[in-house]
Amino acid sequence: MDKTEWKILKEIADLEKTPQGAYNFRLNGGLDSRQVTANIDIVSKTDKPGIDIIVKPFTRGESVHIPVVLSMSGLTDVVYNDFYIGEGADVDIVAGCGIHNTGCETSQHDGIHVFHVGKNAKVRYVERHYGEGPGTGENILNPRTEVYIEEGGSVTMEMTQIRGVDSTLRDTIVEVGPGGECVINEKLLTDGSQKAESNVEIILLGDDATGRVVSRSVAKGTSIQVFRPCMTGKAKCFGHVQCDSIIMDEAKIKSIPAIDAQSVDAQLIHEAAIGRIAGDQILKLMTLGLTEEEAEEQILEGFLN
């Protein structure tokens, strides 16, 4: 990878050099480099583009990095990644995609990820999307994520769209077994004429399953955002959906949270709020020496973090 591609890796995976542990770097539609460990194997699929990531039972304290970088304009990349997390394992998975578009053609990455999380296993998953480049072509990212959590399993997902993505359709579906847990923290920033649509569904299938979705977004310019988070309870369970957004300029935001109780013992809550930055917040920061623009950026950064 060259200097520009490493800069993108820093944005999406916080990497400045090759990481320790297992990793798979995908560059412009193909494999760039790969490393496995005694407990984590990565195998290329033979029937379609993508990989299988196999984590042995009771693996602890290890990580997997699987970033994708597109630095060629006009490239459409589709990848299918399947994760098999063994019983009792405890791992971190860092994914994400970054596009550097220098041309006038659209660059697009569609990532389809399927997680099979074993009994009492724990996964922390980080996915960041980012776009940049001097070209006029669009940057498009369409992730689809399916998660199946067995009894006592736990998945925490940090899903962030940083900047520079012209269009995104994000579909996330999670099924949680007895005593299992899923937490999704989504952060999204759009500007200019960008469009973002996010559909999240968590289905709580077993007794004592829990689910939580927290979505925070900022829409600027004439950008458009649509959120459809849904929590379905089919047993004695607890679920919470929360959407908070800041709207600016001529942007549009539509938030449609839903809860679906299919058991008398399901406890489900949803809440949504859309508003602009309060003027007194900006004034307070300006009294500390910040310009209006700097004060605004500080508020937005604090809100998304």
Side-chain angles (χ1 to χ4, degrees):
M1 290 193 180
D2 62 22
K3 183 177 180 180
T4 297
E5 291 156 354
W6 274 105
K7 176 180 178 294
I8 295 174
L9 277 177
K10 172 65 176 176
E11 293 284 354
I12 64 174
D14 199 25
L15 289 176
E16 296 180 338
K17 60 181 181 179
T18 302
Q20 295 183 341
Y23 63 83
N24 188 95
F25 289 177
R26 184 176 179 87
L27 174 63
N28 293 325
L31 174 65
D32 177 78
S33 57
R34 175 183 297 170
Q35 177 171 285
V36 302
T37 70
N39 295 315
I40 300 176
D41 199 9
I42 302 175
V43 181
S44 296
K45 292 183 179 296
T46 57
D47 58 338
K48 52 189 173 184
I51 54 178
D52 291 335
I53 299 95
I54 302 104
V55 179
K56 290 183 179 180
F58 305 105
T59 298
R60 299 293 178 94
E62 295 198 36
S63 62
V64 189
H65 288 77
I66 55 164
V68 174
V69 174
L70 301 184
S71 59
M72 294 174 55
S73 183
L75 181 65
T76 297
D77 183 35
V78 181
V79 65
Y80 299 83
N81 295 336
D82 289 270
F83 302 80
Y84 300 91
I85 314 300
E87 177 182 355
D90 188 338
V91 294
D92 295 336
I93 300 173
V94 181
C97 178
I99 299 176
H100 181 79
N101 195 338
T102 59
C104 60
E105 297 182 275
T106 295
S107 293
Q108 178 172 336
H109 175 74
D110 296 349
I112 298 91
H113 290 179
V114 181
F115 291 80
H116 304 272
V117 181
K119 183 177 180 181
N120 296 323
K122 181 179 291 186
V123 175
R124 288 167 299 280
Y125 176 69
V126 178
E127 178 186 271
R128 296 182 184 137
H129 286 167
Y130 171 77
E132 63 168 35
T136 58
E138 289 192 334
N139 300 327
I140 298 177
L141 294 168
N142 297 321
R144 177 178 175 83
T145 306
E146 299 178 18
V147 183
Y148 303 96
I149 304 174
E150 294 185 18
E151 181 179 357
S154 174
V155 175
T156 299
M157 309 177 75
E158 300 282 346
M159 307 173 80
T160 304
Q161 181 171 301
I162 306 168
R163 65 181 69 87
V165 179
D166 296 289
S167 176
T168 184
L169 174 60
R170 310 168 64 87
D171 287 322
T172 306
I173 301 173
V174 184
E175 294 185 358
V176 186
E181 176 188 42
C182 179
V183 178
I184 297 177
N185 293 305
E186 182 179 54
K187 300 174 186 177
L188 184 65
L189 172 66
T190 56
D191 201 351
S193 60
Q194 296 170 356
K195 298 179 181 178
E197 183 175 346
S198 178
N199 304 304
V200 178
E201 183 174 14
I202 296 181
I203 305 169
L204 305 175
L205 294 174
D207 284 349
D208 300 318
T210 61
R212 182 176 175 85
V213 178
V214 179
S215 176
R216 287 180 173 261
S217 73
V218 175
K220 305 169 70 175
T222 60
S223 64
I224 298 172
Q225 299 180 3
V226 180
F227 296 93
R228 297 186 185 90
C230 179
M231 188 75 64
T232 300
K234 295 190 174 185
K236 177 177 172 288
C237 60
F238 177 81
H240 181 213
V241 175
Q242 178 180 339
C243 299
D244 295 321
S245 300
I246 290 178
I247 187 168
M248 304 173 65
D249 308 320
E250 302 299 321
K252 296 179 181 178
I253 300 176
K254 182 181 291 186
S255 185
I256 314 166
I259 50 178
D260 180 2
Q262 299 183 18
S263 168
V264 69
D265 294 317
Q267 299 182 53
L268 308 176
I269 302 168
H270 79 70
E271 52 187 311
I274 301 173
R276 61 182 182 181
I277 298 175
D280 60 344
Q281 291 178 297
I282 292 180
L283 288 174
K284 183 176 181 180
L285 288 175
M286 290 177 67
T287 62
L288 300 176
L290 275 65
T291 65
E292 183 175 353
E293 184 177 278
E294 290 170 340
E296 184 180 277
E297 288 301 316
Q298 285 283 336
I299 293 169
L300 296 182
E301 183 178 346
F303 175 75
L304 289 174
N305 291 331

